[in-house]
Amino acid sequence: MKDDYELIKEIKLGSKVAMEELVDKYYKQIFHYTYRILGSYEDAYDATQEVFIAMMKALPTYQEHGKFISWLYTIAHNRCMNNYNKLKKHKSELIEEQEMSATEDHSNQYANSVFAKELLDTLPKIQKSTLILKYYHDLTSKEIAKITGVTIFTVKSRLYQGLQKLRKTIKEREKNERKG
Amino acid sequence: MKGKDELRVEEKISAILDSYKIDDSLDTKKQKTKSVLEAYLPVRQPQHSIVSVKVLIKMALQELFLRCKIQLSIFLLVLVALMVVIDSPLEKYLMMIFTAPIPLFICFWQLFGKYDQAMEELEHTFKCSFNQMFFSKVVAIIGIAILFITIPAIQFLLTGSQVRTVELFQLIILGLTPICLFSLMLLVLVTVSRNVNIMLTTFLIWMLFGFSALSTQVGELLVNVNVIFYAVVIVVSTVSIILKLKQLLQLDRKDLMKYES
């Protein structure tokens, strides 16, 4: 299997095969990230496609600085942050729909997914994206700092605050369940 | 107790986050993305070789013949007529020097100056690389200009039995100097901009200088300058032209070699 650098070189020369290989390699990761941020499959598909289009447009001037996937995450992060507010309203409607279908479905796993999504949605978008990159994409604080354009200290602070907020939400939920 | 509770919450957070599953049936969307991205792929450059450059030079010569045949024929007739009419060897020398770059101007103007933006775009879409086409045209033009310099030289040989080898050498050197200088200058000009006015202005300045040199002492001074000086000018400008052409060709060959490896 060719490494990213070789694939990029070939894409710059117009190789369709290399482009497909690169998409195969990173589509899932980028889609998972955009989905977890935006919360809707359709929006995530669109955002992922936009990320790859932006990648193709920027490839001629791309210069190797660290991992290629980090650069892709940077594009994805910026795109998601731009689209986030726009889609927030639409997303809340969607979650309601999903909750309804989850109760109808009686699928425990699906209900858990919805709960996880809800839980992450209680966080501000910057904390949410930091937590997602750390937890689901196994990135280091340094890599996250580079992707999100902040310092390592800020990343650590966001992770801490994000987790604190999750703890608080879970505790409150447990309290309510006990009361109920 | 508090620590235990915290641990339980941590585990719960992990369990909840782990339970966040995503539908992985992405194949259809992935294919769609791939087909969209195809439109953003750069046009693939064909594999270049020396053979293709030769073919391109041949094509450029054909194009030159088609586009400039009338202008070059007129120029040739005037040149031969002047060579026959002029008696003074000094004037023949000077005439040869000042007319030597004229085929260059004609060909550069016909092949590059008349092109507009749309024509350049069309060239980009041609099967060969734009740089290769440019290279082959410049080589063809310089070749034509050098060919024209041989005509007065042959005329010297045929008519003047008293012409010595040293004089013939000097004649060729004097004729080649403006060709090399103007080739370099026009090459730089068309690389930077294809402005016809700049070419025309350069040509007019040169002709003005030529006429003034013919009617004053400047011409004699030019002929009497040591031939080594002209030889140095030719060598320097030829090296510069080669480097410039090499740079032009390497623009896409570098990438291509990496790709081929």
Side-chain angles (χ1 to χ4, degrees):
Chain A
M1 197 167 182
K2 286 172 185 167
D3 66 20
D4 294 344
Y5 181 73
E6 284 175 69
L7 291 174
I8 292 160
K9 280 277 147 193
E10 290 182 18
I11 294 171
K12 281 182 182 177
L13 290 164
S15 168
K16 188 187 162 194
V17 180
M19 178 271 285
E20 288 183 341
E21 201 175 323
L22 201 74
V23 173
D24 282 333
K25 202 170 173 184
Y26 294 122
Y27 191 90
K28 193 175 164 184
Q29 280 163 273
I30 297 298
F31 175 76
H32 280 200
Y33 176 69
T34 54
Y35 175 72
R36 285 190 174 112
I37 297 283
L38 302 173
S40 133
Y41 278 107
E42 280 311 309
D43 293 335
Y45 287 135
D46 291 345
T48 308
Q49 188 162 302
E50 281 172 23
V51 169
F52 280 100
I53 289 172
M55 174 200 84
M56 289 300 286
K57 283 181 180 171
L59 265 189
T61 52
Y62 171 75
Q63 285 179 330
E64 212 186 2
H65 294 301
K67 287 183 197 167
F68 177 72
I69 182 67
S70 297
W71 183 64
L72 265 189
Y73 276 132
T74 310
I75 302 174
H77 173 77
N78 292 336
R79 209 142 285 260
C80 287
M81 291 301 112
N82 289 341
N83 291 352
Y84 192 81
N85 293 336
K86 216 167 30 180
L87 300 167
K88 209 173 178 181
K89 196 183 164 195
H90 167 67
K91 198 164 61 181
S92 57
E93 288 164 8
L94 208 93
I95 285 173
E96 277 171 26
E97 277 173 30
Q98 282 176 338
E99 275 177 338
M100 280 171 71
S101 58
T103 43
E104 281 165 17
D105 198 355
H106 300 294
S107 157
N108 202 26
Q109 195 189 354
Y110 192 77
N112 282 340
S113 276
V114 173
F115 179 54
K117 195 190 263 185
E118 265 185 343
L119 197 66
L120 284 171
D121 276 344
T122 58
L123 300 174
K125 65 177 179 181
I126 46 170
Q127 285 175 10
K128 183 180 169 183
S129 72
T130 311
L131 210 72
I132 286 169
L133 287 169
K134 181 78 181 172
Y135 193 85
Y136 293 106
H137 299 270
D138 289 327
L139 297 177
T140 62
S141 298
K142 196 180 169 185
E143 285 169 327
I144 298 169
K146 205 177 164 189
I147 291 164
T148 52
V150 292
T151 61
I152 300 173
F153 177 77
T154 313
V155 171
K156 285 180 178 169
S157 160
R158 281 176 186 175
L159 284 171
Y160 177 77
Q161 284 170 359
L163 282 170
Q164 283 292 97
K165 202 161 186 182
L166 289 185
R167 282 185 201 113
K168 201 178 158 189
T169 314
I170 286 173
K171 278 179 183 173
E172 275 173 12
R173 197 184 161 107
E174 281 179 346
K175 213 182 270 179
N176 289 340
E177 275 173 5
R178 269 183 228 134
K179 276 182 189 171
Chain B
M1 186 65 194
K2 197 184 174 186
K4 222 175 180 180
D5 192 47
E6 287 292 318
L7 202 71
R8 188 184 56 76
V9 175
E10 292 291 325
E11 280 171 4
K12 196 163 184 181
I13 290 173
S14 287
I16 292 166
L17 292 178
D18 283 339
S19 69
Y20 195 170
K21 301 286 180 229
I22 298 175
D23 181 14
D24 275 343
S25 52
L26 304 168
D27 287 345
T28 323
K29 294 284 180 184
K30 204 193 281 179
Q31 281 307 323
K32 201 180 157 193
T33 302
K34 283 178 190 173
S35 56
V36 170
L37 293 184
E38 267 181 56
Y40 293 89
L41 274 174
V43 177
R44 196 168 185 158
Q45 298 289 331
Q47 295 209 347
H48 308 305
S49 63
I50 297 299
V51 179
S52 69
V53 175
K54 278 181 187 167
V55 171
L56 279 173
I57 292 172
K58 202 178 157 188
M59 280 168 65
L61 282 168
Q62 283 171 348
E63 197 183 341
L64 263 177
F65 178 74
L66 278 171
R67 282 168 173 258
C68 318
K69 60 184 173 195
I70 298 167
Q71 293 91 329
L72 288 177
S73 306
I74 293 168
F75 171 70
L76 187 67
L77 283 172
V78 172
L79 189 69
V80 172
L82 282 170
M83 290 302 286
V84 172
V85 170
I86 296 170
D87 274 338
S88 154
L90 176 70
E91 281 178 2
K92 272 188 182 177
Y93 273 147
L94 290 173
M95 196 268 306
M96 194 178 150
I97 296 170
F98 296 122
T99 53
I102 292 176
L104 279 176
F105 280 107
I106 295 172
C107 299
F108 265 93
W109 184 57
Q110 286 291 326
L111 254 62
F112 297 112
K114 278 188 171 177
Y115 279 23
D116 56 8
Q117 200 66 33
M119 195 63 201
E120 284 182 45
E121 290 292 320
L122 193 69
E123 276 187 341
H124 279 291
T125 60
F126 195 64
K127 276 183 181 177
C128 311
S129 91
F130 176 71
N131 298 329
Q132 276 202 317
M133 289 179 74
F134 192 90
F135 169 84
S136 59
K137 281 178 185 176
V138 172
V139 170
I141 291 170
I142 296 171
I144 291 279
I146 292 170
L147 191 76
F148 268 86
I149 198 85
T150 57
I151 294 162
I154 291 167
Q155 203 262 354
F156 258 96
L157 268 179
L158 294 175
T159 54
S161 53
Q162 75 283 10
V163 173
R164 288 175 295 153
T165 326
V166 182
E167 280 176 343
L168 189 71
F169 174 70
Q170 193 185 10
L171 183 81
I172 291 167
I173 290 286
L174 282 177
L176 280 177
T177 309
I179 290 181
C180 292
L181 278 175
F182 278 92
S183 297
L184 181 64
M185 200 181 73
L186 290 170
L187 181 60
V188 173
L189 277 177
V190 292
T191 316
V192 178
S193 146
R194 294 189 178 193
N195 195 334
V196 185
N197 295 332
I198 300 172
M199 285 188 208
L200 204 69
T201 313
T202 319
F203 173 69
L204 288 175
I205 291 169
W206 173 250
M207 288 319 289
L208 200 74
F209 173 68
F211 285 125
S212 60
L214 276 169
S215 55
T216 57
Q217 293 292 311
V218 180
E220 206 177 332
L221 216 79
L222 279 173
V223 177
N224 290 331
V225 172
N226 197 326
V227 88
I228 295 169
F229 171 76
Y230 289 115
V232 171
V233 172
I234 291 172
V235 170
V236 171
S237 46
T238 308
V239 169
S240 306
I241 291 167
I242 291 168
L243 287 175
K244 185 82 187 161
L245 288 174
K246 212 174 162 189
Q247 187 194 356
L248 261 174
L249 265 183
Q250 274 175 347
L251 278 176
D252 57 355
R253 191 168 280 187
K254 246 190 254 171
D255 287 338
L256 198 84
M257 276 161 73
K258 276 179 192 166
Y259 177 69
E260 281 169 351
S261 66

